Amino acid sequence: MLLKETTSLILSIPARVYWDGHTDIISQGVIYGGKLEKYFQVWQKEHLAKIHSVETIEHLLTLNDCREQKEFFEKEWATPLFEENFKQYFGNYNLQKGRDPALFKYVEMEAGTYFYNRFKYICTALPIQGNYYLEFFLTSQYRDLQKAHPYLQESNYLLLRSQLDKVQLVNTDLESFLSQAEPEQFSKANLSNLFEYISEENAAYLLELMHPAFRKGGRIAYWNLMVSRSRPETLANKFEPHKTLSQTLWQQDKSWFYRDFVVEEIL
C-alpha cells in the first residue's frame, strides 16, 4: 500500500459500477466477501465445528497465560483428528481453492505442516486473549470491536475519517506506477507478500524501480508466506536489511500465516 496526498477519495466509474451491482456484499459485511475469508468459513463450518465445540473454541480464546495455553492446546485442542484435518485443509493442493493457483508457481514447501506448526506457536507461545487475527480465523467474528483491529474500533473512526483526503486509490500494476513516480516521493511502503508471487529476477527488478521513488532513510516492509524473498546482494548498495528487527517483529506477530517478515531501509 502506497499513500500520498490528494484532495479527495472517489471511486472510479468501474469500481462504482461493480459495488452498485454487489450491494449484497456490503449488506452482509465486506469483511466476509474475500475468497480467503470464505475459505476460512468453510473450514469453520464443515471441519472445525465437527472437531471442537463452541465452548472449547471460546475457552481457547479466553486464555492469556502461555503455560496454561500450552497445556490446553496439547491436552484438549491438538487431537490427532484436528492436526490431520488442519494439515490437509491448509495443504498445498487444497489451499489453491482459497487462493489463485497461479500464486503457487514458486512454492516448494509443504504448506500444511508449516502452517500447523506456526498455528501451534501462536496458540502456545503468545498470549491468545486479544488476538483478533486468531479470533476471526476461528469464528469469523469479533466479540468486542473495541478489542478488535484498531481500524474497527469506534474511537478511531473520526481519526481515520479525517485522513481520507490523504489517500489515493490507484488501479494499475506496481511496475507502471513506480515508472511514473516522482523521485523521492515516498518514505515507506507496506508491500504485503507480493514478492513471492513473482520470480526472484522480477522481485529484484521491482526493488530496483522502487529505490529512486523513495527518500533516503525510508523503509519498506513485506511478508513472506510460502516463498522466501529479500533484497538480493546486487542491491546491497540501495537497501539495508534490518534482520534483528524483522525477526523480533515476526516472533511477536499475532497472525499465524507468515514464515517471515522483512524490513529494509533505503540507502
Side-chain angles (χ1 to χ4, degrees):
M1 178 175 66
L2 300 171
L3 303 181
K4 72 175 185 177
E5 291 192 1
T6 186
T7 56
S8 60
L9 181 62
I10 302 175
L11 292 178
S12 65
I13 293 178
R16 291 173 62 184
V17 170
Y18 175 86
W19 285 112
D20 286 344
H22 293 80
T23 55
D24 58 315
I25 297 178
I26 298 175
S27 61
Q28 293 169 11
V30 175
I31 196 171
Y32 302 115
K35 189 174 183 180
L36 186 60
E37 285 71 24
K38 293 177 181 177
Y39 182 70
F40 288 162
Q41 286 184 315
V42 172
W43 178 70
Q44 294 162 8
K45 296 175 182 177
E46 298 184 7
H47 299 271
L48 181 61
K50 298 177 181 179
I51 300 173
H52 290 310
S53 66
V54 173
E55 291 75 20
T56 299
I57 297 171
E58 288 293 325
H59 182 70
L60 177 71
L61 293 173
T62 63
L63 300 178
N64 200 42
D65 177 83
C66 292
R67 183 180 301 178
E68 184 180 356
Q69 291 171 199
K70 186 174 186 296
E71 181 178 355
F72 180 79
F73 187 88
E74 294 177 348
K75 291 184 177 181
E76 305 292 336
W77 189 273
T79 65
L81 178 59
F82 176 81
E83 181 175 350
E84 179 183 1
N85 183 281
F86 191 102
K87 289 181 178 179
Q88 181 178 1
Y89 193 83
F90 295 102
N92 293 41
Y93 174 76
N94 202 50
L95 193 60
Q96 294 182 46
K97 300 176 183 178
R99 302 179 71 82
D100 189 326
L103 302 180
F104 288 76
K105 181 177 181 179
Y106 302 100
V107 174
E108 298 180 352
M109 65 180 284
E110 166 42 46
T113 299
Y114 169 75
F115 283 145
Y116 180 79
N117 291 332
R118 179 65 178 167
F119 178 80
K120 179 180 179 180
Y121 171 81
I122 294 297
C123 290
T124 59
L126 299 176
I128 290 177
Q129 194 177 110
N131 186 338
Y132 40 78
Y133 294 113
L134 184 62
E135 181 178 15
F136 192 81
F137 170 64
L138 294 176
T139 68
S140 286
Q141 298 180 44
Y142 295 114
R143 293 168 296 175
D144 184 354
L145 287 181
Q146 286 304 107
K147 296 180 180 179
H149 195 287
Y151 86 88
L152 290 171
Q153 296 175 17
E154 184 178 359
S155 57
N156 290 328
Y157 172 77
L158 291 179
L159 173 62
L160 292 172
R161 188 71 178 83
S162 68
Q163 302 298 310
L164 282 180
D165 62 347
K166 296 182 179 180
V167 179
Q168 180 185 17
L169 300 179
V170 180
N171 185 16
T172 187
D173 62 273
L174 185 57
E175 180 179 339
S176 300
F177 180 76
L178 290 172
S179 298
Q180 300 173 14
E182 299 174 5
E184 300 188 1
Q185 183 174 345
F186 304 105
S187 62
K188 58 186 69 70
N190 169 14
L191 301 169
S192 188
N193 56 316
L194 76 89
F195 288 129
E196 70 175 76
Y197 300 141
I198 56 180
S199 68
E200 291 187 64
E201 293 75 18
N202 284 342
Y205 175 67
L206 275 181
L207 286 170
E208 184 87 47
L209 280 180
M210 194 175 300
H211 184 266
F214 281 76
R215 294 189 282 276
K216 305 302 182 287
R219 293 185 178 185
I220 62 173
Y222 52 95
W223 284 259
N224 290 318
L225 184 61
M226 290 181 286
V227 178
S228 181
R229 291 282 185 267
S230 60
R231 74 102 174 96
E233 284 301 314
T234 55
L235 297 179
N237 63 326
K238 296 183 177 180
F239 295 89
E240 179 183 358
H242 288 270
K243 295 183 178 180
T244 300
L245 174 62
S246 300
Q247 183 69 11
T248 299
L249 292 173
W250 177 76
Q251 290 175 337
Q252 298 172 354
D253 190 0
K254 295 181 179 181
S255 66
W256 59 268
F257 314 106
Y258 301 105
R259 64 182 295 183
D260 194 17
F261 181 63
V262 182
V263 178
E264 294 171 343
E265 183 172 335
I266 313 300
L267 297 178

